[in-house]
Amino acid sequence: MQKNWAILLATSAALLAGCGGGGSNNSDSVQPAGQALAGYVGSWQADCDDHERESAVITLSPSGNGSIDIATTSNYYSGRDCSGALLATQTISAKISASPNGTVDTSVKLSANTAASTITVNKINSTLPQYQLSVTGPGVKYVTIANQQQWCIDFGNGSSTCIYDEGTQKAQTNTGGLYLRGNEMFVLGTTSTGFAFDTRYVRQ
């Protein structure tokens, strides 16, 4: 399954280096801070990913410095195509704050079935405050397996997935990228050579 967006933006670049894509960093430019990320404001929904569909609500930060605040939710359904009953909802107790850090033209492969193309990426600096995960719903059982507390979601027919409860997680900061194409938003992780695609969202 895809990474939760909050986890993606707070994960170190080294962990994302194997995701593929990337390209050289060139043609860096800076947009006015108040305008650079305004196009991403709104409600977004990711493609279904094996029972899971993530949504994100993006708002302008009240700080007035051009940053955006991102709240994410992941819903898990009985059907692998995200049809059927809603079994579980995963939330995170904090919002991501993303501030603009200019743009860069770089080559990124935006899907498995397309060639890499040069796009203009909005570079961001992301901050995730101290947070906790929570998973609730009629299909969730909270269990301890091998001394690890976790939420397990039963999809039926012997299929399930489990999410570790690791308690309160430390605040983290990192860099990443966003790309807007019509009503599509692409979340990009950083790699040792540039950026790599992780998740596509569609505006709702």
Side-chain angles (χ1 to χ4, degrees):
M1 294 183 180
Q2 65 209 17
K3 296 179 177 68
N4 179 279
W5 195 6
I7 307 304
L8 171 70
L9 291 183
T11 302
S12 68
L15 293 179
L16 293 169
C19 292
S24 59
N25 286 353
N26 51 60
S27 303
D28 281 13
S29 62
V30 178
Q31 295 173 283
Q35 303 174 16
L37 302 180
Y40 296 97
V41 170
S43 298
W44 301 87
Q45 190 174 80
D47 297 324
C48 180
D49 184 33
D50 194 16
H51 297 282
E52 177 190 7
R53 190 186 297 278
E54 188 176 9
S55 60
V57 176
I58 300 178
T59 56
L60 284 175
S61 170
S63 65
N65 64 357
S67 297
I68 54 175
D69 293 330
I70 306 162
T72 65
T73 301
S74 289
N75 287 324
Y76 294 83
Y77 298 87
S78 57
R80 294 193 65 178
D81 60 354
C82 296
S83 62
L86 174 60
L87 300 178
T89 298
Q90 176 185 308
T91 56
I92 188 168
S93 63
K95 293 181 180 180
I96 305 158
S97 177
S99 59
N101 188 29
T103 62
V104 61
D105 294 333
T106 188
S107 180
V108 180
K109 187 178 174 68
L110 292 177
S111 75
N113 300 319
T114 60
S117 59
T118 298
I119 61 174
T120 300
V121 175
N122 287 107
K123 299 189 297 180
I124 57 174
N125 296 322
S126 63
T127 301
L128 180 61
Q130 190 178 72
Y131 70 95
Q132 294 178 324
L133 291 179
S134 177
V135 184
T136 59
V140 180
K141 290 184 178 180
Y142 191 70
V143 299
T144 300
I145 301 175
N147 297 319
Q148 173 65 60
Q149 293 177 313
Q150 48 199 292
W151 298 277
C152 289
I153 306 166
D154 183 4
F155 300 118
N157 299 317
S159 177
S160 65
T161 190
C162 293
I163 302 165
Y164 284 176
D165 180 2
E166 297 181 314
T168 301
Q169 300 295 294
K170 294 180 180 179
Q172 301 175 58
T173 60
N174 208 348
T175 58
L178 299 174
Y179 173 59
L180 196 63
R181 184 177 69 185
N183 68 341
E184 298 174 293
M185 174 178 66
F186 297 85
V187 177
L188 308 173
T190 54
T191 73
S192 59
T193 57
F195 292 90
F197 164 76
D198 182 78
T199 307
R200 183 187 79 109
Y201 291 79
V202 176
R203 191 184 295 275
Q204 299 301 292

